[in-house]
Amino acid sequence: MDINIIITQMTILFIIMALGYLVFKLKIVDESFSKKFSSLVINLTMPAMLLSSVLEITERQSTFDVLLALCIAFVMFFIILPLAGLVLVKIFRIKRASSGLYIFMTAYSNVGFMGFPVIEALSGPVGLFYAAIYNLMFNLAIFTLGVWLMNKDKPQKAGFDFKLLLTPGVIAALFSIILYFINVKPPALICETIKSVGSITSPSAMLIIGCTLAKMDIKSVFSDWKIYPWTIVKQLVIPILLWIPLSMIITNETLLTVTFILFAMPVANNAVLFANMYDGDSSLAARSVFITTLFSLVTVPICVWIVQFI
């Protein structure tokens, strides 16, 4: 694994985040714009990015490996990782108001924004194809269970509303799976349009994170002590523990590598976008994205080095 690839991707993300911080401080944008921009990214550009990742697939893989990847992603994103988040909430005695966000951040790593470019550089188009499959289930999970987690501790939204399922993200995820299996693609003009819209998602998300950080006292980014041990568990302990059963289940080396790397990624940018959209603790989400992304420069290579000896 080339550490330089990870460092390069992290540097790009931090530069864009810094630009978001700068434009907010210079009052080029304000809080109202940031919240509306978050809604735009969640409801338009992210679904477009998801559709684009499937429409660009040119090399079809083993049906067994595709179904295995879907099953593993479903179990991880809907069961194993949320349960791990719940355990960490109990261990670190997270206050009730932030418990849903912590579970969200534990379960959902940066599969698309950071995972895609890293996987593409490491494993090429085949690796990116498997990453796209994980991204399908990731989006389905965050727009269903993830939305519920963001709202679960709000008295006015204590019950689950099935209308939350009818979001552009869920519809795009389901539609993408159908498109892949029936092997049908829209005309090139439509595909290019979807690709162009989806391509602005990653920089837009990082700009939003920068804007959120600009509203905070910069010292507070590093002052929340609970983030540090939680980050170590999320980005070192959990991926290494997952490697053991996954290596017994997955025989396809590329799929195994993609699976491990994606689960070792830092907190998904979606945590900040969703916290903004659903009036959650966006400051906590932004701090966690910043710290875990920074730590991933070290934790991902350490994870890879450790599993080589397991």
Side-chain angles (χ1 to χ4, degrees):
M1 181 176 182
D2 190 347
I3 297 177
N4 290 327
I5 294 174
I6 295 179
I7 294 176
T8 299
Q9 294 304 320
M10 303 300 182
T11 302
I12 292 172
L13 293 175
F14 274 111
I15 291 174
I16 299 175
M17 189 188 303
L19 289 174
Y21 182 93
L22 182 63
V23 296
F24 193 92
K25 285 296 187 182
L26 294 176
K27 302 187 184 303
I28 297 175
V29 299
D30 56 18
E31 187 170 356
S32 175
F33 173 86
S34 179
K35 189 167 185 176
K36 291 178 180 178
F37 197 27
S38 296
S39 179
L40 176 69
V41 171
I42 290 175
N43 290 304
L44 178 62
T45 71
M46 280 179 53
M49 183 184 72
L50 174 61
L51 284 170
S52 177
S53 69
V54 174
L55 294 176
E56 290 187 88
I57 293 174
T58 57
E59 183 181 351
R60 298 185 68 81
Q61 301 298 305
S62 161
T63 300
F64 174 79
D65 287 336
V66 171
L67 294 177
L68 178 61
L70 283 171
C71 290
I72 290 174
F74 178 86
V75 172
M76 289 297 174
F77 290 135
F78 280 95
I79 302 173
I80 302 298
L81 293 175
L83 286 177
L86 181 61
V87 171
L88 293 186
V89 163
K90 301 296 183 182
I91 292 175
F92 292 109
R93 298 181 179 180
I94 304 300
K95 60 183 180 180
R96 182 180 177 84
S98 300
S99 63
L101 177 57
Y102 261 99
I103 296 172
F104 184 102
M105 294 190 300
T106 301
Y108 306 123
S109 298
N110 203 326
V111 171
F113 299 158
M114 189 178 298
F116 271 25
V118 173
I119 292 297
E120 184 176 25
L122 289 174
S123 304
V126 175
L128 186 59
F129 165 71
Y130 287 121
I133 293 176
Y134 277 97
N135 200 44
L136 294 177
M137 198 59 67
F138 169 86
N139 278 271
L140 184 60
I142 65 170
F143 281 103
T144 52
L145 180 58
V147 170
W148 179 80
L149 288 170
M150 286 292 185
N151 289 275
K152 80 179 189 67
D153 295 316
K154 296 178 182 179
Q156 70 275 19
K157 296 183 179 181
F160 182 77
D161 185 358
F162 281 95
K163 292 180 181 179
L164 294 174
L165 299 178
L166 301 177
T167 64
V170 170
I171 294 171
L174 294 174
F175 190 53
S176 297
I177 294 174
I178 294 172
L179 281 178
Y180 174 78
F181 280 110
I182 65 176
N183 196 22
V184 172
K185 291 186 178 181
L189 178 63
I190 301 299
C191 291
E192 286 300 316
T193 301
I194 295 174
K195 179 180 177 181
S196 295
V197 175
S199 67
I200 71 172
T201 301
S202 183
S204 297
M206 299 312 294
L207 287 172
I208 292 169
I209 293 171
C211 290
T212 303
L213 289 171
K215 295 182 286 185
M216 302 160 43
D217 177 1
I218 196 62
K219 293 181 180 179
S220 68
V221 173
F222 299 97
S223 63
D224 187 350
W225 69 268
K226 289 184 179 180
I227 289 181
Y228 298 101
W230 170 79
T231 298
I232 297 300
V233 174
K234 170 183 164 45
Q235 292 185 216
L236 274 178
V237 178
I238 292 178
I240 292 171
L241 289 178
L242 288 176
W243 170 267
I244 298 172
L246 288 174
S247 62
M248 297 177 182
I249 298 172
I250 304 174
T251 57
N252 183 314
E253 185 176 347
T254 300
L255 177 56
L256 178 60
T257 300
V258 169
T259 303
F260 175 70
I261 291 176
L262 291 183
F263 290 146
M265 286 287 108
V267 171
N269 301 339
N270 308 71
V272 179
L273 302 178
F274 278 39
N276 273 322
M277 189 170 185
Y278 297 108
D279 298 318
D281 191 343
S282 58
S283 294
L284 171 61
R287 290 198 301 272
S288 301
V289 169
F290 183 88
I291 294 297
T292 57
T293 302
L294 181 63
F295 271 49
S296 65
L297 287 166
V298 177
T299 58
V300 173
I302 288 177
C303 281
V304 173
W305 180 78
I306 290 176
V307 298
Q308 290 176 347
F309 298 95
I310 296 179

